[in-house]
Amino acid sequence: MNKALRDKWDRVYRSGASITAPATVLSENLFLLPATGSALDLASGLGANALLLAKQGLTTQAWDISDAAMCHIQQQAVAHAIAIKTFTGEITPSSFSANTFDVIVVSRFLDRSICNAIMESLKPNGLLFYQTYTQYKSSEHGPKNPRFLLAKNELLQLFSALKLVFYRENEGLGGAQQGLRNEAQFIGQKIT
Ligand SMILES: C[S@@+](CC[C@H](N)C(=O)[O-])C[C@H]1O[C@@H](n2cnc3c(N)ncnc32)[C@H](O)[C@@H]1O
């Protein structure tokens, strides 16, 4: 367990300074979800995606290294009378089992070493919803460490084994005050 990382994120969540809205790649594409099945909010933070997935009727898990975030999710689940199974720990390729989830959502998290495990962990026809920060920045928003920033079209390359359902990377096109900037969105389906 990476204690320094866990402590860092616990501090973030205990300070109250964090995102509580679901990723738009999920909230704007809910109609793509299956009516039933299993879902994972990976590196869930406070679990806004998990909450939305569970409310859609999916059997939902949330994984994150932060105890504080997992406690928050459990409280939210009780408050909304829904079930979310939480797993607190460092996510590595060995965290995943093959053919487990119908839906995986990853938002504002990037660890290139787990991309193959994510795809293996999808069931046949399963969907991956991914949204995270790009190297292109229209503002200071988002991480500065290049390790956590996507190169142009990188989600398309990382998940090229999936069938492309949706992709968006606006960069500085058109009216840069409007629309999603600094983040790319990807939805892919596992066809086997
Ligand atoms: C920027 S937050 C994003 C949280 C949430 N997905 C969202 O969109 O608001 C990144 C999350 O990844 C978690 N995290 C970072 N590295 C991790 C790791 N190696 N294993 C598990 N969780 C990790 C952090 O605890 C944090 O909650």
Side-chain angles (χ1 to χ4, degrees):
M1 165 70 83
N2 184 334
K3 188 175 175 309
L5 187 65
R6 186 193 64 194
D7 291 349
K8 176 192 137 176
W9 282 104
D10 277 345
R11 275 196 301 278
V12 169
Y13 292 124
R14 292 198 173 112
S15 75
S18 45
I19 296 171
T20 51
T24 49
V25 73
L26 176 64
S27 61
E28 293 178 357
N29 293 289
L30 289 178
F31 59 91
L32 295 176
L33 292 175
T36 59
S38 54
L40 170 64
D41 182 1
L42 185 67
S44 62
L46 298 179
N49 297 322
L51 215 63
L52 187 51
L53 291 163
K55 284 181 179 170
Q56 300 301 306
L58 298 174
T59 303
T60 301
Q61 297 187 25
W63 296 1
D64 199 284
I65 200 168
S66 164
D67 281 323
M70 295 297 100
C71 287
H72 176 87
I73 292 177
Q74 287 303 343
Q75 288 164 1
Q76 288 294 303
V78 170
H80 289 84
I82 49 175
I84 298 175
K85 189 171 170 189
T86 52
F87 166 78
T88 311
E90 189 169 1
I91 299 163
T92 68
S94 60
S95 307
F96 297 85
S97 305
N99 296 329
T100 307
F101 296 105
D102 296 289
V103 176
I104 299 178
V105 180
V106 190
S107 65
R108 304 174 196 105
F109 175 75
L110 183 60
D111 176 350
R112 293 168 179 86
S113 74
I114 61 170
C115 291
N116 286 340
I118 290 174
M119 290 188 281
E120 278 167 24
S121 169
L122 282 171
K123 289 182 185 172
N125 298 319
L127 291 171
L128 172 66
F129 294 74
Y130 211 122
Q131 176 170 337
T132 199
Y133 299 107
T134 53
Q135 289 172 0
Y136 170 85
K137 282 179 178 292
S138 67
S139 68
E140 286 305 299
H141 180 63
K144 293 188 175 52
N145 185 336
R147 192 153 64 92
F148 303 125
L149 299 173
L150 292 164
K152 266 184 214 290
N153 287 338
E154 190 178 353
L155 285 177
L156 294 174
Q157 290 157 20
L158 291 172
F159 297 104
S160 61
L162 301 182
K163 180 191 154 228
L164 181 62
V165 176
F166 176 85
Y167 186 71
R168 169 158 252 164
E169 189 180 321
N170 291 332
E171 294 200 317
L173 277 173
Q177 303 311 313
Q178 298 170 46
L180 184 76
R181 306 291 165 171
N182 295 12
E183 294 177 45
Q185 297 176 318
F186 170 91
I187 304 173
Q189 184 178 32
K190 182 172 180 176
I191 305 291
T192 52

